[in-house]
Amino acid sequence: MKKRIGTLLLAVSFSVTMALSGCGSSTTSSAASTSTETAAVSTAAAESTAAASTEAGAIDPKTLKPVKLVFVTMGETPKNLAAVNEEASKYLTEKINATLEYRPISWGNYANKVNLMFASGEKFDLMFTASWMFEAQFAAKKQILAVDDLIAQYAPDYLATVPQDVREAGFIGGKAYGLTGYKEWAADKGLIFNKEIADKYGISADTVKTWSDLTPYLEKIKKGEPGMSPLAARSENSPMVQMMAINAYDTLGDGPGCISRTAGDTKVVNMFEQQDFMDAAKLTREWFTKGYINKDAASTTQMEYLAVKAKKAAGYGQSGKPGIAAQEGRQCGMPVIYIPMDKPYMTTSDAASAILAVPSTANDPARSVMFANLLHKDKYLVNLLNWGIEGKDYVKADENTIKYPDGMTAENSTYNLNMSWLMGDVTLNYLWESDEKDIYDQYKKFNDSADRSAALGFSFDPTPVKNEVAAYNNVIKQYTGAIYSGSVDPATTIPKFNDALKAAGMEKVIAEKQKQLDEFVAAKKK
């Protein structure tokens, strides 16, 4: 999963937040505007969508005006995308009288591209967001809509699938700004390695239990595999990002201020001033200076799995879950192993790590919600968008298991999107032959076993300190890529970094975040 990548990264937010900070109109309070927004959305829905039945979700497509839905997420563009869009359009015409343009945008360009779409007023109808992918900022700028009323009317399958506490983890100001995916809601952190290389050098979960344990194995790969970087990294996703930013701390949404997983309390601190952050930065710097990390890690936008796929790298840092090795192996085009470095951890960012939101420019917000609801109900549609067309992009091994057609591999696949985690209900997906058959049961056990953040369910509203958050993000953009990749000496760079953060108003943001978190904790105790 690219979860967060994915699935799933704080550093993604750091590196591209400024691209978003100038787009759209500002607002004094996202919460204050939600009632007006919701009323406007409901009115638009009533005018454009006349359902034949008053029963929630019972839609007669013959009563609906035709509409084209543009659906935007991260992902590499599959070769057979046009044919999949054509098939999906035929199917959705029968279901909700809509045609579809599914438009994946590469991970490195997603935030900037969405920013440009908002700035130009381009119409699109459903988009990926998350607590770590600017959901609060999108909501504050009224770029996405509060859709509580539309969910209540047109998304009964979503409401029946996703538990209320998980849905609420993605709320902003008490309002739903999208539909949260049904998936694993926790993550552990670790490493993906090419299995052939790992076996050759003895790398396994038995031999590597801490990040520092990895050092001698990286040295062996460096000496034994000329032309291959032991680790592939980007500023957005280096091993240090996994170690610190999404493992040791709950980052509590936008702006500075985290709580320590180890401390287990709700004291908001500056992660960048903590000793464990400095220690992780020094280890990463050691790896970089010894050539264990690609030299362009601070600037490259190439996804790590592509470097492994091209055999230019042996491994990379990864956010984990049950079945992650099979998933990443499909991306890499080869068998890989996953080495977890900690127990699963659940934060608000994890629980709200995949949300489908309705942009303010949507042609018909009600139809957008109907489509998103189908992704929590319709097995055919979910698998069409995730895996392509049966017989062309995959074939069935049995009723619920698929494989590539003869002569096709992950290397030459015509539709290797591999983004099932963001398409509604992940359990509607067919399994691949390499997947464990009880993988969805494993998800439940994984969620149940996870450590819970002391701030689980808390969503920070950055509106009162939006100027300081913007200034903070300017500093983040300047420093973190180099620190996370090991490209600079942390002993001299991190103190300068913290001085710049304080000058940008970091302490004011932390104080506001602590205030809101204290209020959240007090309300939970009532």
Side-chain angles (χ1 to χ4, degrees):
M1 176 184 87
K2 290 296 171 285
K3 205 168 148 165
R4 296 230 259 243
I5 36 328
T7 119
L8 276 238
L9 304 175
L10 174 65
V12 173
S13 176
F14 285 167
S15 68
V16 294
T17 295
M18 287 314 298
L20 289 160
S21 63
C23 71
S25 59
S26 63
T27 179
T28 56
S29 171
S30 60
S33 65
T34 53
S35 60
T36 302
E37 280 184 36
T38 303
V41 173
S42 299
T43 300
E47 292 174 350
S48 63
T49 302
S53 171
T54 58
E55 180 185 354
I59 305 301
D60 180 356
K62 295 177 183 178
T63 68
L64 304 176
K65 296 178 181 178
V67 65
K68 177 183 177 180
L69 300 177
V70 176
F71 178 29
V72 175
T73 74
M74 296 89 63
E76 304 304 320
T77 302
K79 296 176 185 177
N80 204 28
L81 179 60
V84 168
N85 274 328
E86 183 179 352
E87 289 298 315
S89 294
K90 292 177 184 176
Y91 187 71
L92 288 170
T93 297
E94 297 177 359
K95 293 291 183 180
I96 56 172
N97 202 15
T99 57
L100 182 69
E101 180 189 345
Y102 177 43
R103 192 188 299 175
I105 299 171
S106 66
W107 279 79
N109 293 326
Y110 180 75
N112 288 333
K113 178 63 177 176
V114 169
N115 172 45
L116 292 174
M117 293 170 74
F118 279 128
S120 67
E122 181 176 348
K123 287 187 173 295
F124 59 120
D125 304 279
L126 200 68
M127 60 174 282
F128 176 86
T129 187
S131 58
W132 54 271
M133 184 55 87
F134 316 117
E135 182 200 9
Q137 292 185 39
F138 289 139
K141 294 172 184 176
K142 300 184 182 180
Q143 293 169 328
I144 58 176
L145 300 173
V147 290
D148 301 77
D149 290 351
L150 295 181
I151 289 173
Q153 188 170 1
Y154 298 115
D157 302 290
Y158 165 70
L159 292 174
T161 301
V162 181
Q164 182 175 346
D165 59 345
V166 175
R167 298 198 307 269
E168 290 178 352
F171 283 9
I172 304 294
K175 291 290 183 178
Y177 281 86
L179 288 76
T180 301
Y182 184 89
K183 51 190 281 295
E184 85 292 343
W185 294 307
D188 56 25
K189 314 301 170 187
L191 294 151
I192 290 288
F193 270 101
N194 174 329
K195 187 176 185 302
E196 181 181 354
I197 297 296
D199 290 347
K200 181 176 179 179
Y201 294 102
I203 301 171
S204 72
D206 293 329
T207 58
V208 177
K209 297 185 180 297
T210 68
W211 295 96
S212 58
D213 287 345
L214 191 62
T215 302
Y217 296 99
L218 299 179
E219 176 65 18
K220 291 178 182 179
I221 295 171
K222 178 70 176 176
K223 291 180 178 179
E225 306 296 329
M228 179 180 285
S229 175
L231 290 173
R234 294 174 296 133
S235 60
E236 293 91 345
N237 185 36
S238 72
M240 188 180 170
V241 173
Q242 302 294 339
M243 283 184 233
M244 301 304 304
I246 48 177
N247 173 31
Y249 292 86
D250 181 345
T251 56
L252 304 174
D254 291 338
C258 311
I259 61 171
S260 167
R261 177 180 182 178
T262 302
D265 58 25
T266 56
K267 179 177 174 55
V268 181
V269 300
N270 172 21
M271 175 176 68
F272 306 118
E273 290 181 313
Q274 307 307 306
Q275 185 60 47
D276 55 358
F277 185 86
M278 177 63 79
D279 293 342
K282 287 180 177 178
L283 177 61
T284 305
R285 175 63 175 169
E286 176 190 344
W287 289 350
F288 183 86
T289 56
K290 290 182 177 179
Y292 303 161
I293 295 174
N294 48 298
K295 292 297 183 184
D296 64 347
S299 59
T300 185
T301 60
Q302 183 187 54
M303 297 300 292
E304 297 78 28
Y305 76 86
L306 292 174
V308 173
K309 187 174 185 177
K311 297 187 177 180
K312 293 181 179 179
Y316 51 92
Q318 177 62 35
S319 179
K321 62 174 184 176
I324 189 65
Q327 177 181 289
E328 293 300 297
R330 288 193 292 271
Q331 294 277 52
C332 295
M334 65 184 70
V336 301
I337 67 166
Y338 176 67
I339 302 174
M341 293 295 191
D342 58 35
K343 279 187 62 181
Y345 186 42
M346 186 184 297
T347 68
T348 301
S349 294
D350 288 309
S353 61
I355 296 172
L356 297 181
V358 179
S360 57
T361 58
N363 287 291
D364 183 346
R367 210 78 58 90
S368 298
V369 172
M370 291 179 204
F371 169 62
N373 182 66
L374 285 174
L375 298 178
H376 289 267
K377 172 185 180 180
D378 195 306
K379 193 177 183 75
Y380 173 78
L381 179 63
V382 167
N383 283 283
L384 176 64
L385 295 178
N386 276 323
W387 311 123
I389 299 171
E390 183 179 354
K392 294 182 179 180
D393 304 306
Y394 70 87
V395 295
K396 281 190 171 182
D398 58 43
E399 185 59 29
N400 203 48
T401 308
I402 60 176
K403 61 182 181 179
Y404 289 120
D406 290 343
M408 187 181 291
T409 65
E411 186 75 22
N412 62 9
S413 169
T414 51
Y415 200 88
N416 191 14
L417 187 65
N418 206 28
M419 301 285 282
S420 59
W421 56 275
L422 63 72
M423 292 287 188
D425 182 354
V426 71
T427 67
L428 294 174
N429 283 278
Y430 296 136
L431 298 175
W432 287 80
E433 287 188 314
S434 57
D435 289 325
E436 296 177 66
K437 303 309 177 187
D438 65 343
I439 189 66
Y440 299 136
D441 291 333
Q442 290 184 43
Y443 281 178
K444 184 179 186 305
K445 294 177 182 177
F446 185 74
N447 287 336
D448 291 344
S449 70
D451 291 340
R452 263 64 171 170
S453 166
L456 183 63
F458 170 71
S459 296
F460 175 57
D461 179 2
T463 306
V465 286
K466 61 183 179 182
N467 293 331
E468 288 79 10
V469 169
Y472 165 86
N473 283 322
N474 266 330
V475 179
I476 288 294
K477 185 178 181 181
Q478 179 182 353
Y479 282 93
T480 54
I483 294 171
Y484 281 143
S485 62
S487 303
V488 294
D489 180 3
T492 57
T493 303
I494 289 178
K496 295 177 183 177
F497 176 36
N498 280 308
D499 288 343
L501 290 175
K502 290 175 183 176
M506 174 188 67
E507 291 172 337
K508 183 178 179 180
V509 181
I510 288 178
E512 175 63 26
K513 191 174 281 189
Q514 184 73 71
K515 173 178 174 288
Q516 292 185 26
L517 180 57
D518 289 345
E519 291 170 352
F520 169 82
V521 172
K524 283 184 67 176
K525 291 179 178 178
K526 290 181 180 179

